[in-house]
Amino acid sequence: MSLTFVATCDLVAITRGRSFPSEDGAARAASGVGWVPADLALTTFGTIADPNPFGSLGDLRLVPVATARATLPAHDDVPDTDLRLASIVETDGRAWACCPRTALVDAVRDLDQRFGLRVRASFEQEFTLVDPAGEAAAAGAPFSIEAHRSAEPFGSRLVETLGANGLQPENWLPEYGSSQYEITLGPADAVTAADRAVLTRAIVRDLARATGRRASFSPLIDPDGVGNGVHVHFSFWNADDEPVTLERSGALTAEAGRFASGVIAHAPAVVGWTAPSVISPLRLAPHRWSAAAGFVGRQTREAMVRICPTPTLGGGNPMRSANLEFRAADATANPWLTLAAIIRAGIDRLSGDFAPASIVEGEVEALGGEERARLGIRELPRDVAEAMQACESDEAAATWFAPDLLATHTAVRRTEASLLESVPGAERCARYAAVI
């Protein structure tokens, strides 16, 4: 029997849901499947955060979204599965205030209606292939053809499956870390891009199991190792479908400059949503090629927001490929809420007389304290306690999402911190790597 799995992606970035016989798809398209509010309070490790706003009360529905689906292909004696992402609604069909996907839909709508701007985005996702014992699978040198070939037949099947599902794979490559790989997709509107990120993770994990391995997107497999990041590329477009990210000179447009200024101004709170786990702050440090601090940099890969180059090879209008890259995210964060937090932070500086973000041209470590202050460089949270405090104490950030969504998010992450309080660093990484 063919099954359809209707799912949401929760606050700890786990895709959860329920299935039904695919032959019932027409009926389920409107009614969906049952869900429970407290499911949102599940931690990475399977416990429910306590306290949380819901307790044992309430009922919801997961209603599938027609445009957000993928088929997990059959292998061996495992049949294929139709995976459909859903919006979470009340039992009468009203939007549920805490639905992560709806939070992004609302942010995208506000950006368009208030400022006439639309975001196109793409998620670059890194992960590690590990063998059944949990060790990094034997590969080859960083970026090498040996490492590329050692992932076969997984790599070819991944690109094929993504393409067959219309997810537009762009690049599949071996990365710097041991048995680390990266998959990138073509740009799409913001909601579609985040949908694709959720579906891609499910496909990667499923195909890894089919080829005798396991894929871990965890930000750190080892405290001293190379981390797995999620890099969110995004660009701005007006109502006439014209790019408005960079000027021909390479400078940020007025809109993009103020938007980036908002992301940096609210950097600690943004990171509380985009890199929210106990181990996430370990990766956001100098010399890890992630985000070492909150600033906008031109091409530097330790910037929170990087201005990407605009190649002129091959002809065409380079401004249509101009984009910014948000680098302070990882796969312990929900993709919908990652992009929603970025957009909400940017919106905060689009209205009013705010100066555009300062651009750091060189290595940020070379700058002294006064110069860092002049450029508005922000320190990022050093631990999950600081990150959650920033989400609550930043007056603007505290309004980005429904109060119960914010309360559940902070409760989940504080519960995880308490569970790992006496656990050594290497074991903390191992526990996340076993799930994420």
Side-chain angles (χ1 to χ4, degrees):
M1 174 179 288
S2 177
L3 295 177
T4 295
F5 192 87
V6 179
T8 183
C9 183
D10 68 8
L11 295 179
V12 297
I14 293 177
T15 302
R16 309 182 198 261
R18 297 182 179 184
S19 67
F20 57 82
S22 295
E23 63 189 30
D24 297 340
R28 296 285 190 172
S31 63
V33 297
W35 203 237
V36 177
D39 289 338
L40 191 69
L42 283 163
T43 69
T44 303
F45 312 115
T47 58
I48 295 178
D50 185 20
N52 68 76
F54 313 114
S56 60
L57 303 177
D59 287 281
L60 300 165
R61 305 293 291 182
L62 296 177
V63 176
V65 177
T67 57
R69 65 192 302 178
T71 298
L72 304 181
H75 57 84
D76 301 324
D77 60 347
V78 179
D80 63 14
T81 296
D82 180 19
L83 173 60
R84 302 192 61 176
L85 301 184
S87 297
I88 310 176
V89 302
E90 303 280 0
T91 55
D92 61 3
R94 289 177 295 120
W96 188 45
C98 296
C99 173
R101 189 176 188 275
T102 301
L104 176 56
V105 171
D106 290 345
V108 167
R109 183 196 62 239
D110 287 355
L111 181 65
D112 187 5
Q113 291 182 350
R114 294 175 60 189
F115 305 104
L117 292 176
R118 297 162 188 177
V119 166
R120 291 182 188 169
S122 178
F123 286 65
E124 291 180 353
Q125 304 194 86
E126 296 171 341
F127 59 91
T128 303
L129 288 177
V130 298
D131 63 27
E135 300 294 330
F143 314 112
S144 68
I145 184 63
E146 291 83 4
H148 180 275
R149 294 286 291 171
S150 74
E152 293 294 10
F154 169 83
S156 295
R157 291 184 186 176
L158 173 61
V159 173
E160 179 184 13
T161 302
L162 292 171
N165 282 290
L167 301 182
Q168 297 184 321
E170 269 196 348
N171 291 295
W172 157 246
L173 63 146
E175 256 287 353
Y176 177 64
S178 176
S179 297
Q180 184 186 43
Y181 295 87
E182 179 179 281
I183 186 70
T184 70
L185 306 179
D189 68 88
V191 178
T192 298
D195 289 343
R196 288 177 173 179
V198 177
L199 294 170
T200 297
R201 292 179 195 176
I203 290 170
V204 166
R205 291 184 174 114
D206 191 69
L207 290 176
R209 284 191 296 271
T211 53
R213 295 173 178 172
R214 186 171 60 80
S216 176
F217 290 81
S218 181
L220 284 173
I221 306 297
D222 181 304
D224 299 318
V226 176
N228 292 314
V230 173
H231 305 148
V232 185
H233 289 258
F234 60 99
S235 58
F236 302 99
W237 302 74
N238 63 22
D240 296 322
D241 199 35
E242 293 297 325
V244 288
T245 306
L246 295 183
E247 305 285 1
R248 288 281 180 175
S249 64
L252 293 171
T253 63
E255 300 96 330
R258 290 199 302 272
F259 186 101
S261 175
V263 175
I264 301 307
H266 298 291
V270 172
V271 167
W273 290 96
T274 66
S277 75
V278 172
I279 62 173
S280 294
L282 300 177
R283 195 182 69 86
L284 301 181
H287 310 301
R288 283 192 177 271
W289 284 49
S290 59
F295 67 96
V296 178
R298 192 176 301 279
Q299 299 190 28
T300 172
R301 285 170 172 80
E302 292 207 340
M304 185 178 188
V305 178
R306 181 174 80 104
I307 302 174
C308 299
T310 52
T312 56
L313 295 172
N317 180 359
M319 293 300 97
R320 296 190 72 85
S321 63
N323 68 95
L324 306 180
E325 179 187 28
F326 181 86
R327 296 182 58 81
D330 63 47
T332 64
N334 179 297
W336 295 315
L337 294 174
T338 289
L339 202 41
I342 294 169
I343 291 173
R344 288 296 183 190
I347 284 175
D348 190 57
R349 289 292 178 97
L350 282 174
S351 59
D353 188 23
F354 291 102
S358 298
I359 310 301
V360 177
E361 298 286 353
E363 296 285 353
V364 71
E365 282 189 276
L367 302 176
E370 289 186 6
E371 184 67 1
R372 290 169 72 97
R374 185 185 70 80
L375 292 169
I377 296 172
R378 301 293 307 275
E379 296 301 317
L380 301 182
R382 293 170 295 180
D383 55 38
V384 72
E386 284 190 10
M388 294 306 104
Q389 178 63 28
C391 290
E392 295 171 327
S393 62
D394 182 322
E395 292 185 4
T399 68
W400 291 345
F401 306 114
D404 281 351
L405 179 56
L406 173 59
T408 307
H409 175 66
T410 56
V412 164
R413 295 308 177 176
R414 285 168 176 149
T415 298
E416 290 186 1
S418 67
L419 291 172
L420 298 179
E421 186 173 9
S422 60
V423 175
E427 178 63 20
R428 290 182 177 187
C429 291
R431 292 195 186 183
Y432 277 102
V435 181
I436 299 301

